[in-house]
Amino acid sequence: MKVLQDGPEALSTRCPPKYGVILNFCGPIIYTSECHLPFTEISGHCIVVETLNTGTWDEMNNFCQQIGGRLAVLNDGNLLYFLIKFIRDNGLDIENFWIGATDVEEEGNFKWVDGTSVRMGAPYWGYHADEETEPNGGTEENCVVLWRDFRYDFDDLTCSSACGGICEQNTSYCKYPNATSNTALVMT
Ligand SMILES: [Ca+2]
Ligand SMILES: [Ca+2]
């Protein structure tokens, strides 16, 4: 293992992607370069691309929670790029995929499941030269999907539709409630 950082500076370090996940935040903060199964590391995030189970947005969010995650927060263009590449490279482009965003609480105000706002426009949402720009569903479409036929751009869709899901491992381990001055960031 290699000590990357020590002391108070460690407290301001926010789960640097290339260092992976924290295994233990009560003692020394230990990072591993690998995600816990069944999650796969994609651009520093721990992701499951679920195609075997499909369901409504709620059902797939429940599925993600059962395996230790939630529907993914995709607010990073690099993550989105490498996720779509992963989907295609592994032949998983057989489904549309629910992601962790809805405008259920307030029409038109899309929020991620972590409470942050969804960025609108490019490169996230679908733009169709001969059609409307997404989101376009008003109160009929309140859940966000990566839509296969739109190059996996974001698209609002009826929440009861059946889709696969993009799960992300729960990131609550990014908090350091018990860190001390001798906290160390360690990578295996
Ligand atoms: Ca809506
Ligand atoms: Ca739509």
Side-chain angles (χ1 to χ4, degrees), residues 54-65:
T54 61
T56 68
W57 189 93
D58 281 331
E59 287 169 344
M60 293 312 293
N61 200 36
N62 287 339
F63 169 85
C64 292
Q65 288 173 358

Side-chain angles (χ1 to χ4, degrees), residues 48 50-72 96-100 102 104 113 143-144 158-167:
V48 164
E50 181 58 32
T51 58
L52 297 178
N53 294 283
T54 61
T56 68
W57 189 93
D58 281 331
E59 287 169 344
M60 293 312 293
N61 200 36
N62 287 339
F63 169 85
C64 292
Q65 288 173 358
Q66 285 168 10
I67 62 171
R70 62 185 177 191
L71 283 173
N96 303 306
F97 296 104
W98 290 125
I99 59 176
T102 73
V104 167
V113 289
C143 292
V144 183
T158 308
C159 298
S160 58
S161 303
C163 299
I166 307 295
C167 303

Side-chain angles (χ1 to χ4, degrees), residues 103 107-108 110 138-139 141-142 156:
D103 72 338
E107 173 55 34
F110 285 89
T139 55
E141 300 184 342
N142 294 333
D156 58 344

